[in-house]
Structure formats: structure tokens, C-alpha cells
């Protein structure tokens, strides 16, 4: 039986939970312009940008390496949570299961916390644990905060 696990971490953000959730839920097309050093492209294969169950591919750079990730999207609007269920791509060569949940929890009028929960199961016993992907997702959330704040300050 392959090894599995769950990572959980929180990233403090200065932007509002509502605006962060909106960006991650339905505005992924802004990612290449907002955080292009991480995300170079997002393509919708099934559904729309903001539809539950949509399937998207992400072209991104992690640890200096260009990779692709195809995922199925799920939303929980009440909890302001977005789930990415891994379907194909570089990470799925090493993992059988790769589900990442980003939940935006209000802490004040201006700030929030992004709670990241990553559930995974290795495809092979000698596959590395996906700690580098947790670091990558934390970086995405933190770097998107600067973009969210710029937009909030314009409003």
C-alpha cells in the first residue's frame, strides 16, 4: 500500500476573504497577468471559468521547472472554499491522489487567512512526498495577495 498524507497550513493575507475567494473561484484567467512568474496559462476544457465541476489545465513553473496540471474544480460558497482535484499532469505522475483545498477565512474587514489543505497518496512507494507542491501553493496564495490589494485600493 502506498503512503498517503494530509498537509495543512495557513497563510495570512491582507486582502479580503471575499475578493480572494472570488479570484480563486471564478477569475483564474487573471492569474498569468497577476502572478506570471508562477502561472503562465490556464485553459478551460469543460465547463466555464466559474462552473462547479469545470476541468482546467494550468501551465506553471515550480522550482524552476515548467509543469502542467489538469484538475477538476469544486466550490463551497458558504465556506469560501475551492477544491482542486488532480486528474493529470506532472504531479499526477508521482501521486495517485492530489486534492488541494483553499479556504478563505475572514479575520477582519481587510484581512483573512487562506487555509490550505492538501490530501495526497503516492503512486509508488519511492515517490517523493509533495511538500514542494505545498510550498508552491503557499507561494501562489501569498503572491496573489499583492494583486488583490492593488485592486482593492483602486476601488
Amino acid at each position: 500500500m502506498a503512503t498517503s498524507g494530509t498537509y495543512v497550513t495557513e497563510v495570512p493575507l491582507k486582502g479580503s476573504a471575499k475578493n480572494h475567494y472570488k479570484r480563486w473561484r471564478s477569475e483564474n484567467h487573471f492569474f498569468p497577468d497577476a502572478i506570471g512568474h508562477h502561472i503562465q496559462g490556464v485553459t478551460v476544457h469543460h465547463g466555464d471559468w466559474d462552473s462547479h465541476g469545470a476541468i482546467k489545465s494550468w501551465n506553471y513553473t515550480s522550482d524552476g521547472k515548467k509543469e502542467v496540471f489538469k484538475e477538476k474544480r469544486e466550490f463551497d460558497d458558504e465556506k469560501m472554499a475551492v477544491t482542486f482535484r488532480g486528474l493529470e499532469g506532472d504531479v499526477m505522475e508521482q501521486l495517485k491522489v492530489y486534492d488541494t483545498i483553499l479556504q478563505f477565512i475572514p479575520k477582519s474587514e481587510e484581512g483573512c487567512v487562506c487555509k490550505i489543505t492538501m490530501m495526497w497518496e503516492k503512486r509508488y512507494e519511492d515517490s517523493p512526498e509533495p511538500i514542494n507542491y505545498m510550498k508552491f501553493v503557499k507561494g501562489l496564495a501569498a503572491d496573489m495577495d499583492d494583486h488583490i490589494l492593488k485592486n482593492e485600493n483602486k476601488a
Side-chain angles (χ1 to χ4, degrees), residues 16-22 24-25 75-82 101-106 112-115:
S16 73
K18 178 181 151 201
N19 288 339
H20 275 284
Y21 178 63
K22 179 180 173 188
W24 284 88
R25 185 194 191 286
F75 307 120
D76 184 333
D77 290 337
E78 189 176 316
K79 292 183 179 178
M80 286 197 285
V82 180
I101 302 166
L102 282 78
Q103 181 182 9
F104 298 96
I105 304 164
C112 68
V113 167
C114 176
K115 180 180 178 184

Side-chain angles (χ1 to χ4, degrees), residues 4-62:
S4 63
T6 301
Y7 299 143
V8 179
T9 192
E10 291 186 353
V11 179
L13 303 171
K14 295 175 186 151
S16 73
K18 178 181 151 201
N19 288 339
H20 275 284
Y21 178 63
K22 179 180 173 188
R23 182 61 41 101
W24 284 88
R25 185 194 191 286
S26 58
E27 297 178 345
N28 302 147
H29 52 285
F30 288 125
F31 279 50
D33 290 333
I35 51 174
H37 57 290
H38 293 300
I39 305 293
Q40 288 77 53
V42 185
T43 305
V44 177
H45 295 281
H46 176 73
D48 297 313
W49 285 107
D50 62 350
S51 60
H52 186 85
I55 296 176
K56 300 177 185 176
S57 287
W58 297 72
N59 294 70
Y60 62 96
T61 303
S62 177

